[in-house]
Amino acid sequence: MKIKILRQMSPHSEPYWESFDYDGLDDISVAGMLDHLNYNDDIINDAGEKTTRIGWECSCLQGMCGGCAMVINEMPALACETFLSNLKGDTIILRPLRKFPVIHDLIVDRSSIHENLKQENVFIGEYQPVGSEDHQHQYDAAKCLKCGLCLEVCPNYTNGKTFYGAVFANDCYLVSARNRERAKDILKVYGEHFGSGCSKSLSCMDVCPMKIPTLASMAKLNRK
């Protein structure tokens, strides 16, 4: 099996493609395969040349941290939850998420997700429930990993210039539901920066590893 990876040594260097031969089992995840390629002290590409270890990151390998988010065969996904046996063809193409600055190889800087939330003061603060609560949806929305897959696939995401994406919508919903004093301000922020910019492609829900019903978050915000 051929593994083709878009590599980049540093944030300011030029990206380039490098390929590797993988002859291991196909019942492991992409994360396991990357570990296999990086296992030896000498890393050899498919041209027989010595190269550096492939840069990628993770914390849990259980689909709970979102650290291993990347583009796998042109589909944004978590490497730990994508198995080789489920991928078609004899070549696997890996590239970093394109909506974020690259740090090294498949590692990107997703700090803009948190910076956008901080910029608009989207935080719960003191817990002050607003009327009757939808605990199940609050639980679902709170499962967001901030992995960035939804933003990668979103056709409208502009990194806060006009549209913040699904992460922002779900967090706005949580704040509006859990702090009645901040709900009015959050709904204003939502209207200015999310609702009017979404084209409702709902691709964010298709790739979300936690299957968060973002459309329901948007509907509940619009109802308010």
Side-chain angles (χ1 to χ4, degrees):
M1 181 177 289
K2 191 76 68 178
I3 312 298
K4 187 177 180 181
I5 303 174
L6 184 62
R7 306 195 65 181
Q8 187 171 336
M9 290 298 101
S10 69
H12 304 294
S13 63
E14 288 295 320
Y16 63 94
W17 289 99
E18 188 167 34
S19 297
F20 300 84
D21 290 321
Y22 172 74
D23 58 1
L25 301 174
D26 66 353
D27 60 349
I28 65 171
S29 65
V30 170
M33 178 270 295
L34 288 170
D35 264 345
H36 179 88
L37 294 178
N38 279 340
Y39 181 77
N40 296 316
D41 290 333
D42 293 328
I43 312 299
I44 307 297
N45 63 23
D46 67 343
E49 302 166 338
K50 187 175 180 179
T51 186
T52 58
R53 280 189 168 87
I54 303 160
W56 67 289
E57 63 179 348
C58 69
S59 291
C60 69
L61 291 177
Q62 299 179 50
M64 298 300 294
C65 73
C68 63
M70 60 184 69
V71 180
I72 304 171
N73 285 358
E74 298 306 316
M75 178 63 69
L78 298 183
C80 67
E81 292 196 327
T82 304
F83 284 78
L84 304 187
S85 57
N86 294 328
L87 298 175
K88 297 180 180 179
D90 297 326
T91 301
I92 296 175
I93 301 175
L94 306 179
R95 64 164 76 230
L97 299 179
R98 288 163 283 200
K99 299 292 181 71
F100 305 96
V102 174
I103 297 175
H104 172 56
D105 289 347
L106 302 171
I107 303 172
V108 298
D109 179 3
R110 286 173 294 210
S111 60
S112 60
I113 294 175
H114 299 280
E115 291 303 318
N116 288 336
L117 292 169
K118 286 167 58 179
Q119 177 179 310
E120 299 298 340
N121 295 316
V122 182
F123 62 90
I124 294 173
E126 182 181 353
Y127 177 51
Q128 298 176 336
V130 183
S132 59
E133 294 189 83
D134 185 347
H135 291 289
Q136 182 59 53
H137 188 73
Q138 289 183 33
Y139 176 78
D140 291 338
K143 292 190 292 185
C144 178
L145 304 177
K146 306 295 190 291
C147 62
L149 295 182
C150 60
L151 304 182
E152 175 68 16
V153 77
C154 176
N156 307 114
Y157 176 64
T158 59
N159 194 20
K161 295 178 181 178
T162 57
F163 185 70
Y164 284 143
V167 174
F168 190 79
N170 283 304
D171 274 35
C172 279
Y173 161 74
L174 284 173
V175 173
S176 68
R178 294 191 168 194
N179 189 315
R180 58 177 178 271
E181 291 183 359
R182 301 210 63 246
K184 185 176 180 180
D185 292 336
I186 290 299
L187 291 172
K188 181 181 178 182
V189 170
Y190 168 82
E192 292 179 349
H193 292 286
F194 187 85
S196 61
C198 178
S199 63
K200 309 299 187 298
S201 73
L202 303 183
S203 52
C204 52
M205 295 173 59
D206 292 335
V207 301
C208 178
M210 305 307 289
K211 306 303 179 186
I212 298 174
T214 301
L215 183 61
S217 294
M218 294 166 56
K220 290 175 184 294
L221 285 165
N222 284 330
R223 192 175 300 131
K224 292 185 180 183

